[in-house]
Amino acid sequence: MTKLLTFMQRHANSLLLAMTILLPLGFAGKFWHLPLVFDGTMLVVTLLGGLPLILRASEALKYKTIGIELLISLAILGALFIHEYEEAGMVVWLFSLGEFLEKRTLNQTRKAIKDLVALTPQTAMKITDQATGSYEEVDIDEVAPGDLLLAKNGAKIPVDGLVVSGDAFVNEANITGEYQPKHKTHNSKVFAGTLVASGTLTIQAEKVGEDSTFGKLLELVEEAQDSKTQTQKTIDKFAQYYTPLVLLLALILGLLTKNLSLAITVLVLGCPGALVIGVPVSTVAGVGSAARRGIVVKGGGVLEKATQIDTLVFDKTGTITTGQAKVTQVQNFSAGQSEALKILASVENQSDHPLAKAIKAFYQEDTFYPVTESTTINGLGIKAVVNGQQVLVGNERLLQQYHIATTGLALPEAASHVLLAVDGKLQLGVAISDSLRPNLAHDLKKLQDYKLIMLSGDKTANVVQMTQGLGFTDVRGNMLPEDKANYLKQLQQQGHHVAFIGDGVNDSVAMANSDLAIAMGSGSDTVIDLADMILVKSDIAQLATALTFARRTVNNMKQNIALALLTVLLLFIGLFTGFIYMASGMLVHELSILLVIFNGMRLLKIKAN
Amino acid sequence: MKQATIQLGTLTCPSCMQKIQNAVKQLDGIQDVKVLFNSGKVKANYDDQKLATETIANTISQLGYEVKKTSVKEAN
C-alpha cells in the first residue's frame, strides 16, 4: 500500500495530466449522449485522483488525525454511492489541480528563503596531501573542523575559519553588507558563504555548516518563517476542531434530511484550506523578503509586536556610531611627526585596545621598532623603552603623574586622547573618536513617526554634542546597563511600546526589558541570541525597512483571514440557497486558496524605501 | 539524545504538518518533534538507544511524503 502511495505521489503530475486529458473526452461523451463513455471516463478520473487521497486519509487515520483528505475521500465515496460520477470526477480533478497550483505558487512565496539557502556552500576543496598540495572536491558534510581547505579565485568560502596561507580579496557582502572586498592574509578570519574576489587562500576550518555564522543566520530565518503568530495559533486550534466538526455536521445533516448529496457538499465546503494556509503564506513571504534584504526576523510573533512599537530607544556606540574608533586629529610637538608616530605605533602594536587599533590603522605601515620593558599602567597607559629612550603612551593623567608638561595641547574635549612622551617631553597628541554612521541623519528622518531616544554610557556632554540636530526627543549619557533598563520600564509604564536597538553585551539588560529587541549584525553573540530582530548589515536604514515590512506583513495576514472567512460565508450561503454543489464548491474553495497565496506574494515585491 | 533533521519535499497543506507531527510523536523514544511547514523540514529530538533515524524517516514516507535527506547530530 505504501509503495502504491509513494508511486502515485511521485507521479502526481502525470496523474493530473491524464485526468485533464480524460475530462474533455468525458464531456464529449455527455454531448453525444453516450452515458457509458461519460460515466466511464469520470470513474477513471475519480480513481486516478481519488485513490491517493483515500490512501493518504487512511494512513492519517492510523495516527488518529482527521485531515482534509478524509473529508474529500468520504465525499467522493458518497458521490459514487449515489451515482454522481460527474461530481466525483470534477471534485477530484479540481482538488488535484489545486494541489498542483498551490505547490507551484507556494514555492514562489518561499523563493526568498530558497535564494538564501542557495548561497550556502555545498562543496569544498579539501587538501588531501599537505606536502604536494593535492586536493579533491568533497561534499560540505564531509568537512570537519581542523581540515585544510582551498578557496580559489571566484569560489565561495565553504566554512568559517582562519587563513593559513595565501593572499586574497574577499567580498563579505553576504554577511556584513559591505561590498568593498576585504584583504585576507595569514591569520585573517573568513566566513562561510563569502566570495573570493581575487587570489587564493588555504583555510583551516573552524565552524562548518549549521555552526557557521551564515548557517546560524539561515537557521534563524528558517525557524522564524515557521514560528507562529498569536493569530496563527488561534487558527490552528480552530482548524483542529473545525475539520472533525464539519464531519459531524455532515453526518447529522445527512441523517436528519436523508439528503446524501447535501451531506457530501458540506464535506467539500468544510475544508478550511484558505484559512489555515493564509497566515503561514503571509509569514513566509514577509520573513523571507525581509531576510533577502538583510533583516532577520525571529518569528511571525515578532512582526505582530513590531507593529505596536511607538518608541525607538538607541544605544550609542556601535549602534548609531560605527563602533570603530578613528584618529580624528593629530597635534605634533616633535621634530618629525612620522618618526614620533612610528614610536607610538610600535608601543601600541602589542595592545588589543580599541584605541591602539585606531592608531595602528592610522599608521598604516608595518615596520616597527623593537619595544622592551613594556608595562601597562592600568587605565592610564603604557610605559616602555624604545631605541634606548623612555617612552610613555597614555592620557593627560599619566603624563601628570610623571610631571610632564602638556602646555599647548588642544585636542577636542569630546574625543579620547592618546599622548606620546619621549624622555620626559611631549611629542605627539592624538584625538580618537567614534564617528556617527554615514547617512545617519537621513536614516533617522525616515523614522520621524516614532519617538526617538538615545541612551549611552558615554559622558553626557559628548552624547548631547554628537546627536545635535538628529531629531532625538531625549538623549541621556552616563547610563549604566540597569539605568537603561529602568528608563525603558518608565516608558512602558507611561503606556509606550518600546523597541531597543543595541549591539553590545551591556545592552542585553535593556533588550530583555524592551517590547522588541533589535540587534545590529555586528553585535556580540549574546545580543544576537537575545534579539527579536537582527539588522545583519548593521545599518540604521534597515530599521525603517524592517518596521515597514512588519506592518505590511501583518496587514497581509489580516487580509488573508478576511478573505478566507468571507469564502466560507459565501459558500454556505450558496449551499443553502442552492447555488453551490460539490464541484462548484470545490472550485470556489481552490480559488480562495490561490487568492490568499497570490495576496501573500505581493509581500515579495515590497520595495525597500 | 540525538537531533534528526529530515528534509521533505514541498508541503502544501498545514494539516500535513499535524499528521506528521502526530505520527512521529507516537514513536517510542521521541522526545519532541517540530514540523517546519515552509522549509519542509522535520526536526526531532530522540533517544538513539530506543529508536533509529530510519524508523522516523520511514514513518513519514509511509504517510505519503517524500523524504529527501536526513542528517543527525548530537542534541544540544
Side-chain angles (χ1 to χ4, degrees):
Chain A
M1 281 303 245
T2 317
K3 270 197 189 132
L4 181 62
L5 179 56
T6 320
F7 176 80
M8 292 190 120
Q9 206 85 0
R10 195 163 293 156
H11 296 91
N13 290 353
S14 323
L15 285 176
L16 177 62
L17 186 67
M19 288 157 75
T20 315
I21 293 168
L22 281 172
L23 276 181
L25 190 70
F27 282 103
K30 188 182 186 180
F31 185 76
W32 303 111
H33 301 288
L34 299 168
L36 217 60
V37 175
F38 183 47
D39 290 345
T41 38
M42 281 305 175
L43 257 176
V44 175
V45 168
T46 310
L47 194 72
L48 287 178
L51 202 57
L53 275 179
I54 293 169
L55 288 176
R56 265 152 67 184
S58 66
E59 280 295 333
L61 259 187
K62 269 194 220 160
Y63 298 102
K64 304 184 191 71
T65 309
I66 295 175
I68 292 178
E69 286 98 342
L70 185 67
L71 296 188
I72 307 288
S73 301
L74 288 176
I76 298 166
L77 292 174
L80 291 180
F81 183 71
I82 54 171
H83 306 289
E84 291 273 11
Y85 304 120
E86 182 182 351
E87 291 294 326
M90 285 306 288
V91 164
V92 164
W93 177 70
L94 282 169
F95 190 80
S96 310
L97 181 66
E99 268 204 332
F100 171 75
L101 291 177
E102 281 156 33
K103 206 178 235 177
R104 296 291 293 266
T105 49
L106 272 174
N107 277 336
Q108 280 294 315
T109 64
R110 292 166 181 164
K111 194 172 174 298
I113 308 265
K114 286 241 168 69
D115 290 347
L116 274 184
V117 176
L119 292 176
T120 38
Q122 300 298 324
T123 59
M125 299 290 187
K126 188 165 160 178
I127 295 175
T128 45
D129 187 345
Q130 241 178 296
T132 61
S134 57
Y135 60 88
E136 59 174 0
E137 189 168 355
V138 297
D139 197 272
I140 194 73
D141 290 339
E142 290 169 37
V143 177
D147 284 353
L148 287 180
L149 308 170
L150 198 67
K152 287 187 178 179
N153 201 349
K156 240 181 257 167
I157 290 183
V159 296
D160 282 8
L162 271 187
V163 175
V164 179
S165 65
D167 200 281
F169 280 90
V170 175
N171 183 334
E172 298 190 325
N174 286 344
I175 303 275
T176 62
E178 176 62 60
Y179 280 91
Q180 195 69 39
K182 284 220 179 85
H183 187 210
K184 303 280 178 183
T185 50
H186 181 65
N187 266 344
S188 302
K189 251 182 136 37
V190 289
F191 299 98
T194 56
L195 286 168
V196 182
S198 65
T200 301
L201 294 172
T202 305
I203 300 159
Q204 180 156 42
E206 283 182 338
K207 287 174 180 169
V208 185
E210 283 181 8
D211 297 324
S212 68
T213 307
F214 187 74
K216 272 189 198 153
L217 278 182
L218 202 63
E219 208 179 353
L220 282 179
V221 175
E222 273 195 349
E223 299 249 340
Q225 57 169 342
D226 278 309
S227 77
K228 289 173 182 165
T229 60
Q230 206 49 49
T231 324
Q232 179 67 40
K233 281 181 194 151
T234 319
I235 291 175
D236 280 356
K237 203 158 271 172
F238 172 72
Q240 207 178 340
Y241 296 108
Y242 183 78
T243 320
L245 208 69
V246 168
L247 198 61
L248 200 69
L249 180 72
L251 195 71
I252 292 170
L253 266 179
L255 286 176
L256 281 182
T257 61
K258 305 262 183 272
N259 184 344
L260 191 53
S261 72
L262 176 70
I264 295 168
T265 311
V266 170
L267 283 180
V268 174
L269 301 194
C271 301
L275 194 59
V276 290
I277 213 165
V279 175
V281 159
S282 301
T283 314
V284 69
V287 168
S289 202
R292 201 158 54 181
R293 290 174 175 80
I295 300 159
V296 175
V297 179
K298 289 196 197 159
V302 171
L303 294 171
E304 281 183 339
K305 280 200 280 180
T307 56
Q308 291 160 3
I309 295 300
D310 59 13
T311 306
L312 302 172
V313 180
F314 296 85
D315 161 56
K316 185 179 77 94
T317 312
T319 304
I320 71 158
T321 68
T322 57
Q324 281 157 1
K326 270 195 190 134
V327 173
T328 49
Q329 201 178 326
V330 179
Q331 221 185 333
N332 184 34
F333 299 93
S334 69
Q337 181 173 333
S338 58
E339 175 64 16
L341 190 62
K342 188 171 177 182
I343 298 174
L344 178 62
S346 303
V347 176
E348 294 283 32
N349 191 26
Q350 329 237 310
S351 168
D352 249 349
H353 195 274
L355 294 181
K357 280 189 193 164
I359 287 171
K360 273 185 278 178
F362 182 71
Y363 174 59
Q364 282 184 329
E365 292 173 46
D366 38 330
T367 50
F368 299 102
Y369 290 126
V371 178
T372 52
E373 295 171 47
S374 172
T375 46
T376 311
I377 303 159
N378 227 351
L380 297 176
I382 303 170
K383 189 183 148 192
V385 175
V386 178
N387 296 340
Q389 298 166 299
Q390 286 288 335
V391 174
L392 280 173
V393 172
N395 57 15
E396 283 90 341
R397 274 172 56 204
L398 179 74
L399 267 62
Q400 269 162 26
Q401 269 191 18
Y402 286 82
H403 308 292
I404 298 168
T406 54
T407 29
L409 189 71
L411 293 173
E413 186 69 28
S416 305
H417 302 173
V418 176
L419 312 177
L420 169 75
V422 177
D423 284 339
K425 278 217 177 88
L426 178 65
Q427 302 287 309
L428 211 58
V430 177
I432 294 170
S433 48
D434 191 4
S435 52
L436 290 175
R437 288 189 182 277
N439 294 326
L440 185 69
H442 176 251
D443 296 339
L444 288 176
K445 214 163 263 164
K446 281 191 215 146
L447 298 166
Q448 267 173 344
D449 296 344
Y450 299 88
K451 191 178 158 96
L452 303 176
I453 291 167
M454 196 181 68
L455 307 178
S456 173
D458 198 357
K459 289 180 277 184
T460 307
N462 288 3
V463 182
V464 170
Q465 192 219 355
M466 212 169 186
T467 53
Q468 255 165 16
L470 287 176
F472 286 101
T473 47
D474 194 7
V475 171
R476 300 277 174 103
N478 296 325
M479 298 286 271
L480 295 173
E482 308 88 84
D483 299 336
K484 291 184 182 178
N486 286 333
Y487 190 96
L488 289 193
K489 281 183 203 155
Q490 268 178 31
L491 282 172
Q492 285 164 335
Q493 275 163 15
Q494 290 162 16
H496 290 294
H497 293 273
V498 186
F500 189 89
I501 303 103
D503 74 315
V505 181
N506 66 319
D507 297 321
S508 51
V509 192
M511 280 184 158
N513 279 290
S514 68
D515 297 300
L516 181 75
I518 302 174
M520 302 303 264
S522 56
S524 69
D525 284 352
T526 324
V527 171
I528 302 268
D529 281 347
L530 202 67
D532 297 313
M533 220 185 241
I534 303 156
L535 308 179
V536 177
K537 297 176 183 170
S538 304
D539 184 355
I540 292 291
Q542 285 185 301
L543 190 57
T545 313
L547 293 168
T548 310
F549 265 101
R551 208 174 48 242
R552 294 280 295 268
T553 309
V554 170
N555 282 343
N556 199 275
M557 281 176 200
K558 287 181 185 156
Q559 290 157 8
N560 277 354
I561 293 170
L563 279 173
L565 290 176
L566 202 67
T567 310
V568 175
L569 189 70
L570 280 179
L571 282 175
F572 275 90
I573 292 174
L575 171 67
F576 289 112
T577 51
F579 279 110
I580 294 281
Y581 199 44
M582 265 177 84
S584 49
M586 196 62 184
L587 182 67
V588 175
H589 170 80
E590 291 297 347
L591 283 179
S592 72
I593 292 182
L594 290 176
L595 198 65
V596 297
I597 295 179
F598 282 125
N599 189 42
M601 269 156 112
R602 292 192 307 131
L603 289 172
L604 296 173
K605 298 196 182 102
I606 302 180
K607 296 264 184 303
N609 51 344
Chain B
M1 274 298 170
K2 297 261 176 172
Q3 185 183 49
T5 305
I6 301 168
Q7 177 69 57
L8 311 178
T10 310
L11 295 179
T12 49
C13 57
S15 71
C16 315
M17 278 171 69
Q18 211 189 333
K19 222 161 39 179
I20 298 171
Q21 182 124 20
N22 278 354
V24 175
K25 210 162 58 188
Q26 284 169 24
L27 295 172
D28 188 32
I30 287 281
Q31 193 184 39
D32 61 71
V33 57
K34 195 157 62 172
V35 184
L36 304 179
F37 173 59
N38 284 311
S39 46
K41 275 183 185 170
V42 179
K43 290 192 175 182
N45 284 316
Y46 65 100
D47 184 349
D48 55 328
Q49 304 285 319
K50 285 188 185 165
L51 187 65
T53 328
E54 294 74 48
T55 318
I56 308 176
N58 285 340
T59 308
I60 296 169
S61 54
Q62 266 168 31
L63 286 172
Y65 301 100
E66 186 193 354
V67 173
K68 283 189 169 161
K69 193 179 165 190
T70 310
S71 61
V72 182
K73 63 174 187 184
E74 285 299 323
N76 34 14

